Amino acid sequence: MHILSKHVATLVNLGLLLGAYGIPAPDHAVQQLLRVPPSNYEEVFNSPPFSPGHRDPYDHKIDSVGEHRQPSPFRNGNGATVEGPRNKDRERQNPDLVRPPSTDHGSMSNMRWSFADSHVRIEEGGWTRQTTIRELPTSRELAGVNMRLDEGVIRELHWHTEAEWAYVLTGHVRVTALDSDGGSFIDDLEAGDLWYFPAGHPHSLQGLSPNGTEFLLIFDNGHFSEESTFLLTDWMAHTSKAVLAENFRLKPDAFKSIPSSEKYIFRGSLPGPIDHEKPRGFRQSKIRFSHHMHAQDPINTTGGRVRITDSTNFPISSTVAAAHLEIEPGALREMHWHPNADEWTYFKKGRARVTVFAAEGNARTFDYMAGDVGIVPRNMGHFIENLSDDEPLEVLEIFRADKFQDFSLFQWLGETPQRMVADHIFANDPDAADAFLKQIEGAEKDPIKDTQ
């Protein structure tokens, strides 16, 4: 007999035994399996996912992209085909919206957006696109910008009303900044490095190396817009030449050739070494505006690695905290919640499944791919599951907070009196209670779990 058929037979025998002792019947999906005739065991468990015959009372993950499956709204015998127009590529990216787990329930706002759906502003040698509250209404606390600068291309001298945090995705970039005491900062950064500029601090960015750079920018206000940036050329273009002359102690005609509008992103001359670029009278800032996140020693877990950067190890970053997660194939970012801020998640690599629990019986599952953004409001329980059994998942968890904080469900239950835990969950199942309590004994947090 096929191993899965043996599981069905065990469920059937268990159901008969439970009924004989008057123990309440299992949930609806398991009851359906208990009614499967033995002659149909193979047919049921060999039916492909998203088909009328498929049964899975436990809502296991399905990697529709990796397994090249087309989702359909069938679940444990219920549902029907889709006969109208459909976007099959979109459905493959969101299988848990097409066929949600049986545990999903209620009304919940959308928590997912892809940068692929964001408007791209194309400039000379680069581009930018943003995800804000306008694209994703649940993105209230943070806004994100994805930007690309070719070699030598400059994101012009500017400042913002919001603080800017950044993660370098690829390539090399030179950053410059000025602190409020007149100290200057120049640094060259590479993939995995961060920078942070407080609100109002002037700065610039320039792509280095033959392929330039690409990075993720985070602003500590969901209503942020790239169009609202204060730009050097924009200001000068809207200031009379007479005033410019007085301010810089030059004749007005010295400004006859300045840009008539903002430059924003433009090709510049290639920079030399930092020591050759420093202006005369350069005064080094006492503030460190950059941080090498990937140079941190990771927290090693049973299912991956975690690096946390917040104001404790990057002091200037007072309004943005972040964790970089490497989730191995088949592993799980454990069930947890964040008490101090919404989670703004950027999926850098791989494919993931996330269920958000919103209390009042509300829960919804979303699927994410590289380049997607996810939101989890503060205090809402959730997990991040690597959908693939072959490929790693790489994720940035970002928060409008000075420190990273989370609560682990595993640790909480392990630190709670065992009697109370058993009374809550396994009041009528002492064997399951014993197994569960042994599993949580010790109560050490394991942020990324090996589920094998």
Side-chain angles (χ1 to χ4, degrees):
M1 184 184 292
H2 192 280
I3 186 169
L4 291 177
S5 302
K6 291 181 180 179
H7 290 327
V8 176
T10 300
L11 283 171
V12 171
N13 293 330
L14 177 61
L16 295 174
L17 182 63
L18 292 175
Y21 283 91
I23 296 175
D27 63 40
H28 177 67
V30 176
Q31 288 184 55
Q32 286 186 310
L33 279 179
L34 298 181
R35 291 196 293 268
V36 173
S39 59
N40 291 350
Y41 291 168
E42 293 290 341
E43 177 184 351
V44 166
F45 267 98
N46 287 330
S47 296
F50 308 120
S51 68
H54 183 71
R55 301 291 187 275
D56 177 10
Y58 304 115
D59 295 314
H60 289 89
K61 66 182 183 181
I62 300 175
D63 183 7
S64 57
V65 173
E67 298 174 12
H68 306 288
R69 297 187 184 278
Q70 185 60 52
S72 290
F74 286 108
R75 187 179 64 223
N76 294 323
N78 295 321
T81 59
V82 178
E83 296 298 322
R86 59 194 300 191
N87 185 334
K88 293 188 175 182
D89 289 339
R90 201 68 160 167
E91 291 173 358
R92 278 191 292 271
Q93 293 178 14
N94 299 276
D96 287 294
L97 292 182
V98 178
R99 198 285 311 270
S102 59
T103 49
D104 278 13
H105 180 264
S107 176
M108 185 181 293
S109 299
N110 179 45
M111 304 286 180
R112 177 190 178 276
W113 181 265
S114 176
F115 269 111
D117 293 326
S118 295
H119 171 75
V120 177
R121 174 174 174 171
I122 299 175
E123 297 288 331
E124 181 185 5
W127 50 259
T128 181
R129 54 187 178 178
Q130 60 186 357
T131 298
T132 71
I133 199 167
R134 290 171 291 280
E135 288 79 22
L136 181 58
T138 47
S139 183
R140 292 183 288 268
E141 295 192 345
L142 297 173
V145 173
N146 182 202
M147 186 175 291
R148 176 83 166 86
L149 303 177
D150 225 340
E151 182 182 22
V153 173
I154 297 172
R155 173 66 170 96
E156 74 160 288
L157 291 156
H158 65 283
W159 72 96
H160 310 281
T161 57
E162 298 85 5
E164 174 181 307
W165 181 97
Y167 177 91
V168 183
L169 296 168
T170 62
H172 295 75
V173 58
R174 175 163 297 175
V175 300
T176 73
L178 185 73
D179 67 31
S180 57
D181 294 323
S184 297
F185 181 82
I186 306 176
D187 200 7
D188 290 343
L189 305 178
E190 61 183 12
D193 290 344
L194 313 177
W195 70 76
Y196 180 94
F197 301 129
H201 282 51
H203 55 279
S204 72
L205 316 168
Q206 185 170 19
L208 304 176
S209 70
N211 199 36
T213 184
E214 187 173 334
F215 41 85
L216 175 71
L217 300 170
I218 298 295
F219 298 90
D220 58 0
N221 185 340
H223 291 274
F224 170 83
S225 172
E226 268 287 278
E227 309 301 324
S228 64
T229 302
F230 295 96
L231 303 170
L232 170 65
T233 54
D234 191 26
W235 191 11
M236 295 186 74
H238 291 87
T239 303
S240 72
K241 292 179 175 56
V243 171
L244 291 175
E246 291 173 355
N247 190 78
F248 293 99
R249 296 177 180 173
L250 290 169
K251 294 181 179 180
D253 62 1
F255 299 96
K256 62 185 178 183
S257 60
I258 66 171
S260 58
S261 61
E262 66 180 44
K263 298 188 77 169
Y264 195 78
I265 292 175
F266 65 97
R267 293 192 179 277
S269 55
L270 295 178
I274 289 177
D275 286 341
H276 294 176
E277 292 273 301
K278 291 179 180 178
R280 185 178 300 176
F282 178 88
R283 290 192 297 124
Q284 179 67 47
S285 174
K286 296 178 182 179
I287 300 173
R288 187 72 189 177
F289 290 96
S290 62
H291 177 80
H292 304 291
M293 188 182 204
H294 279 233
Q296 293 179 210
D297 291 332
I299 300 168
N300 291 307
T301 71
T302 61
R305 287 155 296 283
V306 181
R307 291 175 174 86
I308 297 171
T309 302
D310 58 17
S311 61
T312 59
N313 54 1
F314 187 22
I316 188 64
S317 187
S318 60
T319 63
V320 179
H324 177 270
L325 312 176
E326 298 173 74
I327 304 174
E328 295 297 334
L332 177 80
R333 168 69 167 105
E334 67 169 346
M335 297 171 71
H336 67 284
W337 69 95
H338 303 278
N340 60 335
D342 294 356
E343 177 181 314
W344 199 99
T345 314
Y346 179 76
F347 292 84
K348 185 183 174 189
K349 182 179 181 180
R351 298 179 296 280
R353 178 171 75 159
V354 177
T355 295
V356 179
F357 166 62
E360 297 181 329
N362 291 312
R364 181 164 293 182
T365 303
F366 303 90
D367 300 274
Y368 299 90
M369 303 178 66
D372 288 352
V373 172
I375 300 294
V376 182
R378 70 180 68 197
N379 291 314
M380 290 192 182
H382 59 288
F383 60 82
I384 304 175
E385 185 176 20
N386 188 343
L387 277 176
S388 175
D389 291 325
D390 304 306
E391 301 176 27
L393 174 65
E394 198 170 340
V395 179
L396 281 167
E397 295 180 351
I398 307 170
F399 309 87
R400 192 177 70 184
D402 63 336
K403 290 183 175 64
F404 174 91
Q405 294 182 4
D406 71 348
F407 281 106
S408 161
L409 177 63
F410 181 82
Q411 185 180 45
W412 178 39
L413 295 183
E415 293 287 353
T416 299
Q418 294 189 348
R419 170 197 54 79
M420 184 175 291
V421 173
D423 286 349
H424 273 73
I425 310 173
F426 301 105
N428 298 314
D429 194 341
D431 291 339
D434 287 344
F436 185 84
L437 295 175
K438 288 177 182 177
Q439 190 65 28
I440 63 174
E441 189 175 6
E444 291 187 8
K445 184 184 292 188
D446 187 17
I448 303 174
K449 293 183 179 296
D450 179 3
T451 59
Q452 303 304 315

